[in-house]
Amino acid sequence: MPHGMVKAAINRGSSPEPPPGTRILVVGGGYVGMYTALRLQRELKAQLRDGRVGITVITPDPYMTYQPFLPEAAAGSISPRHVVVPLRRVLDRCHIVIGEARRIDHAARTATVTTLATEEEGTGPVEIGYDELVLAPGSVSRTLPVPGLADYAIGFKTVEEAIGLRNHVIEQMDIASSTRDPAVRDAALTFVFVGGGYAGVEALAELEDMARYTARYYHNIKPEDLKWILVEASDRILPEVGEEMGKYAIRELRGRNIDVRLQTRLDSCENRVAVLSDGARFPTRTVVWTAGVKPAPVLAATDLPLNERGRLKCTAKLQVEGVEHAWAAGDAAAVPDVTADEKDKECAPNAQHAVRQAKALAENIAASVDGRPLREYAHKYVGSVASLGLHKGVAHVYGRKLKGYPAWFMHRAYHLSRVPTFNRKARVLAEWTLAGLFKREIVSLGSLEHPRAEFELAAGGRPAGRGPEPGPKGPGGKEN
């Protein structure tokens, strides 16, 4: 066992003894990583108990974020803590390492990892050895060289970003309500979302719903004073729900005075001015970037085969192509869709495939450890659902098209069934029930992001700014 694995165990405060037997290393604690490790705990229960197998999970956060609930968390329909699942509680038979894999040398069966302890101590990364590798690092926001984007925009992939955006929107309403400068007021009440996929449309729709409700508590702000703009480079939004439902979604959004601009790009957002490719200019203090994702950077730092889009080439059995003892699924993997009529079609990188791939992946790893034959992953895409705010949605499932309340109800029912653990299901259902009985919460807790500001001011230092200012994010949602 490499000395680095012992060191990593010491760094995370657990026993220095490395996991015995076959060492399974799961890189990533997101959807695929958590579900794979969870299933492996069940499939290999006896081997874990008697020491023939050990599972290590490397993750930058101690929790898994259920991303489909981020829009509702941003709107205040779900508490932030109920959108995440604590990994140490769920993966109680696994070794959890809070850190990031920087490099994978599969030929040597080692992963180079930085942990919270190594960063604090300044000792540099450690090496963790393994016998079986599961790569599930997920994806990161795909950005473009747009002037001002890194300085003024905010993403929408983490729970920190979702809650920060909610606080930010309410604080902009506070600014608009108290300023005497018409230009400041106009910029504060203008919200630009870039990207017409699930993240962009659902986030905009939920926040617009929330802000329109919140406006009733301001004596000088009316719902029509708020300006919401959706910018999409293609000629449609929500392509997963089909053309007809996508057109309905556009009509629904425009009916709420949301400015939907198709075949339009964001050219610049310098100096808090969003400049679009159609020539429009919008002074704004809010630019939300949801224009796609790309594979996690660690994939480029491996000796494993990648396709032209930077994803791991995989077989239908979820093995990395041409490589033994390496597995992948989810956003990081290019998995052939064996149910498709078209040749060389790949499974879409979405939650519907991810949760099912994780189950198949864990079963195949367990079969490999036991010397049993592997099975191919096969799942025919059944359709998609999307929320357009409270009691509004679109769906295209099993060939059936739904809109309005039925689609919204289906959206909630489906995701409630998919959120991990009974604990989280019960808490989310309870919050939805209470939200139906009481009024929305409209409190901004932006000061939570700067908890030392008041003390620094009292101590005579320079206080940190109040309220979230959208800016570039580092690993784990931390500001750079």
Side-chain angles (χ1 to χ4, degrees):
M1 182 74 190
H3 173 70
M5 190 164 185
V6 179
K7 184 175 180 181
I10 295 173
N11 282 338
R12 69 177 183 269
S14 60
S15 169
E17 292 298 323
T22 301
R23 302 163 299 171
I24 302 174
L25 180 64
V26 180
V27 177
Y31 223 101
V32 173
M34 191 208 74
Y35 272 109
T36 299
L38 184 63
R39 188 77 183 185
L40 282 171
Q41 284 186 160
R42 300 172 185 169
E43 294 286 328
L44 300 174
K45 186 175 181 179
Q47 292 93 323
L48 284 165
R49 188 169 48 244
D50 61 23
R52 284 177 288 160
V53 170
I55 304 172
T56 299
V57 179
I58 300 172
T59 172
D61 298 305
Y63 51 80
M64 185 276 277
T65 301
Y66 189 74
Q67 291 189 348
F69 279 161
L70 289 184
E72 293 208 43
S77 300
I78 303 176
S79 298
R81 66 185 183 279
H82 298 156
V83 178
V84 300
V85 179
L87 294 178
R88 293 188 187 277
R89 178 188 296 176
V90 176
L91 305 179
D92 56 335
R93 300 187 189 94
C94 299
H95 295 259
I96 307 296
V97 179
I98 305 303
E100 290 197 64
R102 301 294 184 181
R103 188 170 62 255
I104 304 289
D105 185 351
H106 189 64
R109 300 292 193 273
T110 60
T112 302
V113 180
T114 57
T115 68
L116 293 177
T118 60
E119 291 177 356
E120 184 71 21
E121 298 165 358
T123 56
V126 296
E127 287 190 347
I128 297 181
Y130 62 83
D131 298 305
E132 300 285 344
L133 173 68
V134 178
L135 267 174
S139 57
V140 297
S141 294
R142 176 175 57 86
T143 59
L144 299 175
V146 176
L149 189 67
D151 297 319
Y152 299 112
I154 185 172
F156 200 77
K157 278 188 63 64
T158 68
V159 66
E160 295 89 351
E161 288 173 331
I163 304 310
L165 183 57
R166 168 187 169 80
N167 293 334
H168 176 77
V169 169
I170 296 176
E171 287 191 355
Q172 297 313 300
M173 298 179 72
D174 290 334
I175 291 171
S177 177
S178 57
T179 185
R180 295 182 179 181
D181 187 333
V184 172
R185 174 186 168 91
D186 185 56
L189 295 181
T190 300
F191 307 96
V192 179
F193 285 68
V194 184
Y198 279 123
V201 172
E202 291 191 340
L204 183 152
E206 290 284 355
L207 283 165
E208 189 274 339
D209 230 359
M210 182 270 294
R212 183 160 26 85
Y213 175 87
T214 303
R216 69 177 66 182
Y217 296 100
Y218 290 83
H219 70 282
N220 58 351
I221 297 179
K222 299 177 181 178
E224 51 267 28
D225 294 337
L226 282 74
K227 187 182 298 182
W228 300 84
I229 302 155
L230 178 63
V231 179
E232 168 56 37
S234 70
D235 60 353
R236 59 195 293 193
I237 66 171
L238 298 175
E240 296 87 353
V241 299
E243 185 176 357
E244 182 181 339
M245 290 295 97
K247 289 180 178 178
Y248 167 80
I250 292 175
R251 291 196 302 271
E252 166 66 26
L253 294 176
R254 286 176 174 165
R256 290 155 58 179
N257 271 338
I258 296 173
D259 186 356
V260 180
R261 296 183 176 236
L262 303 178
Q263 296 181 306
T264 308
R265 301 179 308 278
L266 176 69
D267 285 346
S268 171
C269 57
E270 284 186 305
N271 303 317
R272 296 191 181 279
V273 177
V275 180
L276 307 185
S277 60
D278 60 5
R281 297 170 62 89
F282 297 100
T284 178
R285 296 173 57 86
T286 310
V287 174
V288 183
W289 182 268
T290 63
V293 296
K294 63 181 180 180
V298 68
L299 299 186
T302 71
D303 53 354
L304 300 172
L306 305 177
N307 67 5
E308 64 279 359
R309 286 178 290 176
R311 299 168 70 195
L312 290 162
K313 295 181 180 179
C314 293
T315 68
K317 297 178 180 178
L318 304 174
Q319 295 172 300
V320 177
E321 195 173 281
V323 180
E324 294 184 343
H325 309 294
W327 314 76
D331 290 357
V335 179
D337 187 350
V338 298
T339 67
D341 297 329
E342 305 95 319
K343 187 180 179 182
D344 298 328
K345 185 178 180 181
E346 298 173 357
C347 295
N350 56 32
Q352 186 178 143
H353 280 297
V355 67
R356 290 171 173 82
Q357 286 177 357
K359 178 178 180 290
L361 174 55
E363 291 174 352
N364 276 352
I365 292 175
S368 176
V369 170
D370 293 340
R372 294 182 280 111
L374 311 183
R375 70 179 182 88
E376 290 188 341
Y377 169 74
H379 171 67
K380 192 169 183 62
Y381 191 64
V382 299
S384 299
V385 291
S387 170
L388 299 178
L390 190 62
H391 300 160
K392 298 176 284 289
V394 289
H396 189 180
V397 180
Y398 291 113
R400 300 194 59 165
K401 300 169 185 176
L402 298 173
K403 56 188 178 183
Y405 185 88
W408 171 83
F409 183 82
M410 179 180 287
H411 174 269
R412 280 200 162 182
Y414 173 77
H415 287 300
L416 183 65
S417 71
R418 291 302 171 186
V419 69
T421 78
F422 176 79
N423 179 298
R424 284 299 178 269
K425 286 181 171 65
R427 289 175 182 270
V428 169
L429 183 58
E431 285 202 304
W432 282 343
T433 303
L434 290 173
L437 299 175
F438 300 99
K439 295 179 180 180
R440 283 181 184 259
E441 292 290 347
I442 59 168
V443 177
S444 167
L445 296 176
S447 57
L448 287 175
E449 301 179 28
H450 305 280
R452 296 184 65 245
E454 187 172 342
F455 181 78
E456 287 178 357
L457 183 61
R462 183 178 179 181
R466 279 200 72 223
E469 280 299 320
K473 296 283 180 177
K478 302 176 181 67
E479 290 189 6
N480 289 327

